[in-house]
Amino acid sequence: MLHVIGLGLGDSTDITVKGLEIIRMCDRVYLESYTSILSTNLKDLERFYGCSILEADRELVESNADEILPKDEKENVAFLVVGDPFGATTHSDLILRAREKDIKVKIVHNSSILTAIGCCGLQLYRFGETVSIPYWNNDWQPNSFYEKIISNRQRDLHTLCLLDIKIKEPTIESIAKKKKEYMPSQFMSVSEAATQLLKIIEEKNEETKEEPVLEESSLVVGLARVGWDNQRIIACSLGEMASIDLGPPLHSLIIPAINLHPLELEFITLYKCK
């Protein structure tokens, strides 16, 4: 059986009792290591879980998934995911591959950023489509996510923006040479995301004379290390967020609805810039 187990958002102790019991009876245990991070390292996880853990990078999961799957009916494999197992489409693909091979799959859920963002006081049922904000470079500056933010705003819904993570990403040169060399890890900050949004807004304002739905003065919420002991939340204008330092990763950005419920307003006030 393949066991896909959510680890939650914080450290080794966020695992559920059910998840921990399964991990300790498995023949092989993998940790998916490229869509998110925990506040603890691999060695600490191994000590707490009482077993050896193999790291599963993007290449292994997306290109060599068969290496992860159980080899026979007697083998049990645990695939550990930060957050919840269905927090990334990659994990759904692994489950489908297992099903195609008639391998039994068991899911153990846990908290994820998609629910934990409620800690800022914005009501979960008012969130619209979640978007991802990618890193820009000189040759590639996509902005399709912006239209989804605007669509949510027009329907008076909040938008959760998941910020880009680059872990063990191959360099352009190594791809050309077919030699594995990787870029340093990168984790987008709320200030970087806000800066990119401001550039898009500026470009859009030049293209149209319509009243903007999102502007520099709009309220946004920055969250860092949600679920960790040193979690931080701040609410301020988009322009101010471009210069906010929330410290180490992981960061998330929320673009709230235009009209907030009185309880949301009261809660958000707790995190306003002083």
Side-chain angles (χ1 to χ4, degrees):
M1 183 177 286
L2 173 67
H3 304 265
V4 187
I5 301 171
L7 301 183
L9 298 172
D11 57 29
S12 55
T13 61
D14 281 353
I15 185 75
T16 64
V17 174
K18 179 189 291 185
L20 184 58
E21 289 177 344
I22 292 172
I23 288 171
R24 289 176 174 172
M25 56 78 68
C26 280
D27 302 292
R28 284 183 286 136
V29 179
Y30 290 89
L31 173 65
E32 187 266 87
S33 61
Y34 62 92
T35 60
S36 190
I37 58 173
L38 290 169
S39 65
T40 190
N41 58 43
L42 186 64
K43 292 298 182 184
D44 288 337
L45 288 181
E46 290 181 327
R47 277 193 290 270
F48 188 78
Y49 297 160
C51 65
S52 297
I53 300 175
L54 303 166
E55 283 195 81
D57 59 17
R58 184 186 298 275
E59 183 179 354
L60 176 60
V61 178
E62 296 185 354
S63 302
N64 300 290
D66 287 350
E67 293 183 21
I68 297 173
L69 299 178
K71 306 304 181 189
D72 55 49
E73 293 182 359
K74 295 181 180 179
E75 188 176 33
N76 282 282
V77 175
F79 185 75
L80 312 183
V81 178
V82 178
D84 186 81
F86 290 107
T89 54
T90 295
H91 312 137
S92 299
D93 182 65
L94 180 66
I95 292 165
L96 289 173
R97 286 171 180 265
R99 297 288 194 191
E100 288 172 2
K101 293 179 177 291
D102 292 323
I103 295 170
K104 294 179 181 178
V105 179
K106 184 171 185 177
I107 308 298
V108 181
H109 293 285
N110 210 318
S111 61
S112 78
I113 189 63
L114 297 174
T115 53
I117 52 169
C119 65
C120 72
L122 296 177
Q123 296 165 356
L124 291 179
Y125 72 90
R126 293 196 63 199
F127 277 81
E129 184 174 0
T130 298
V131 306
S132 296
I133 300 183
Y135 272 113
W136 283 356
N137 58 40
N138 293 333
D139 303 316
W140 192 65
Q141 298 187 358
N143 61 14
S144 58
F145 60 86
Y146 179 76
E147 299 305 324
K148 295 178 181 179
I149 294 173
I150 297 305
S151 176
N152 284 340
R153 292 270 289 179
Q154 290 172 334
R155 290 178 290 150
D156 213 21
L157 299 174
H158 312 312
T159 305
L160 169 62
C161 302
L162 301 177
L163 309 187
D164 203 359
I165 297 172
K166 293 186 180 297
I167 300 176
K168 207 174 180 182
E169 293 281 337
T171 62
I172 300 298
E173 294 78 10
S174 71
I175 295 173
K177 296 176 182 177
K178 296 183 179 180
K179 180 183 178 182
K180 292 183 180 178
E181 293 177 353
Y182 302 101
M183 295 184 290
S185 295
Q186 285 183 284
F187 303 90
M188 182 180 285
S189 67
V190 290
S191 61
E192 290 173 313
T195 298
Q196 288 188 187
L197 278 170
L198 289 170
K199 289 181 180 177
I200 294 172
I201 291 170
E202 184 179 359
E203 292 173 359
K204 296 293 183 182
N205 288 346
E206 292 176 357
E207 295 174 4
T208 178
K209 301 302 180 182
E210 297 178 4
E211 185 175 345
V213 180
L214 182 65
E215 49 194 332
E216 186 175 344
S217 60
S218 298
L219 175 70
V220 297
V221 182
L223 304 92
R225 301 171 301 283
V226 174
W228 297 22
D229 291 338
N230 59 350
Q231 170 180 301
R232 287 194 64 193
I233 303 172
I234 192 163
C236 60
S237 72
L238 180 60
E240 291 172 320
M241 191 63 74
S243 59
I244 291 292
D245 180 7
L246 290 184
L250 292 168
H251 290 193
S252 301
L253 182 69
I254 298 174
I255 314 297
I258 295 172
N259 301 297
L260 299 185
H261 186 279
L263 288 177
E264 291 180 312
L265 274 173
E266 184 178 354
F267 216 124
I268 283 293
T269 301
L270 299 174
Y271 302 114
K272 286 283 188 73
C273 290
K274 303 299 183 183

